[in-house]
Amino acid sequence: MGTKIIIRGSGFAPTGNDIAFTHPKIDFQGRNIAYLNHVSSSDGKTLSFNLPDALGACAYSRLNQNETCPEIGILLPKGVAQISVVNKNGTSNSLTFTVK
């Protein structure tokens, strides 16, 4: 936790990118996915963030107008997770990521 992570790719929005973490030990309302929200990209090709210990329940970039999301801190379990980027352009391919 706290480690700086850099994701390189394309199609990132200037603001409003959500990093999706899928892990079998995450369980929020029957889903095994949680999000780090509001990650910015200055060049559309790079996302940089510090790995948090708690995540959100929704991809804010995909909420409909006037839709709300519960304010909850979902703990990121250790072990192998899949990560992907979600934004107004869609969802990226996922990659394997290990949380130690």
Side-chain angles (χ1 to χ4, degrees), residues 17-37:
N17 298 286
D18 301 308
I19 311 300
F21 292 84
T22 304
H23 190 290
K25 291 185 180 177
I26 294 174
D27 183 12
F28 178 73
Q29 296 179 342
R31 298 180 321 194
N32 64 344
I33 190 167
Y35 300 89
L36 173 62
N37 301 110

Side-chain angles (χ1 to χ4, degrees), residues 3-21:
T3 300
K4 184 173 185 171
I5 307 296
I6 299 172
I7 299 175
R8 292 182 176 84
S10 62
F12 303 142
T15 60
N17 298 286
D18 301 308
I19 311 300
F21 292 84

Side-chain angles (χ1 to χ4, degrees), residues 37-80:
N37 301 110
H38 309 298
V39 179
S40 300
S41 176
S42 61
D43 61 3
K45 298 178 183 178
T46 307
L47 296 172
S48 177
F49 59 93
N50 291 328
L51 188 63
D53 55 356
L55 302 167
C58 303
Y60 283 101
S61 62
R62 303 310 286 258
L63 292 177
N64 295 317
Q65 187 174 0
N66 298 323
E67 188 176 6
T68 61
C69 180
E71 293 293 326
I72 185 169
I74 299 172
L75 297 179
L76 181 57
K78 292 183 180 182
V80 176

